[in-house]
Amino acid sequence: MTEREKMLAGELYDCGDKELLERWHIAKDLARDYNMVSSNDLETKNQILKQLLGGIEENVWITPPFYVDYGNNIYIGNNTEINMNCTFLDDNKITIGKNGLIAPNVQIYTAFHPKNVTERMGQEKEDGTFSFCKTYTAPVTIGDNVWIGGGVIILPGVTIGDNVVIGAGSIVTKDIPSNVVAYGNPCKVVAPNE
């Protein structure tokens, strides 16, 4: 099993793998290019997004700056807007449904590390250095018609249902069912979304 296959399966993998680092660098360069394109050059922006992301449907708007790990594990549905300064650590799949609204400074994480330092960093080398850290992943899924407020952090393995509003500043640590308003740290359901 390759390190990429382990990564997508949620198994412990090596972030320093050559194939993964190659894609990581490609994604960083594409994100840099996207962030530098003139705001009204929609054709170039769309071309870059098609190279960067795993799947993108129609009428997707991403306001730069936008940051990713690999990019090709991100799938975005129709009519979705992602505002400025969002960071998506897509070491596993991030799937965002249609008619989504993601406010500025939202962070979506699919990666996490072992708690034990030896498992996380490996043994110290003779020269005193360590290898790249070891990592686990879990996908994040966001349903249709979801509004994620500014500064929200979504942790690995979370699924957010359809027709959900997540209040600004929330930290989403567990699944949120469809048709609700939720907020807080940790994020909790507070009302139906009618």
Side-chain angles (χ1 to χ4, degrees):
M1 188 177 248
T2 68
E3 294 302 309
R4 176 171 169 74
E5 290 169 337
K6 290 178 191 176
M7 179 178 81
L8 293 173
E11 296 181 13
L12 191 66
Y13 71 98
D14 180 2
C15 301
D17 174 71
K18 182 181 176 184
E19 175 192 7
L20 291 178
L21 282 176
E22 184 176 309
R23 176 58 202 184
W24 188 88
H25 288 298
I26 289 169
K28 297 301 184 231
D29 289 344
L30 286 168
R32 178 206 58 220
D33 294 348
Y34 183 81
N35 293 336
M36 297 299 289
V37 170
S38 175
S39 184
N40 61 1
D41 188 353
L42 301 181
E43 184 177 331
T44 301
K45 288 171 109 176
N46 285 330
Q47 288 173 355
I48 294 170
L49 287 178
K50 287 179 180 176
Q51 294 174 62
L52 177 62
L53 303 178
I56 183 171
E57 294 185 5
E58 300 298 317
N59 302 315
V60 171
W61 183 273
I62 301 175
T63 303
F66 177 59
Y67 305 101
V68 301
D69 258 356
Y70 299 99
N72 62 352
N73 298 317
I74 300 170
Y75 301 86
I76 304 173
N78 287 326
N79 304 318
T80 292
E81 179 182 346
I82 298 169
N83 213 322
M84 69 187 87
N85 207 38
C86 288
T87 301
F88 293 1
L89 299 188
D90 63 308
D91 300 64
N92 205 311
K93 286 185 180 177
I94 295 174
T95 305
I96 300 167
K98 65 182 180 182
N99 304 318
L101 180 58
I102 299 180
N105 301 306
V106 169
Q107 301 169 55
I108 301 176
Y109 301 139
T110 64
F112 60 102
H113 305 286
K115 293 176 194 155
N116 179 284
V117 68
T118 302
E119 188 179 0
R120 182 172 62 244
M121 300 301 293
Q123 295 294 325
E124 186 176 334
K125 296 178 183 177
E126 286 185 18
D127 66 1
T129 64
F130 286 88
S131 300
F132 273 89
C133 63
K134 303 294 189 277
T135 306
Y136 290 109
T137 70
V140 169
T141 302
I142 299 171
D144 296 336
N145 312 310
V146 173
W147 173 19
I148 308 288
V152 168
I153 298 173
I154 301 171
L155 295 185
V158 166
T159 295
I160 297 172
D162 297 333
N163 309 308
V164 171
V165 174
I166 304 290
S170 296
I171 300 180
V172 187
T173 61
K174 296 184 180 175
D175 293 352
I176 303 294
S178 294
N179 306 307
V180 298
V181 175
Y183 57 80
N185 178 9
C187 187
K188 294 181 182 175
V189 173
V190 295
N193 187 18
E194 300 175 19

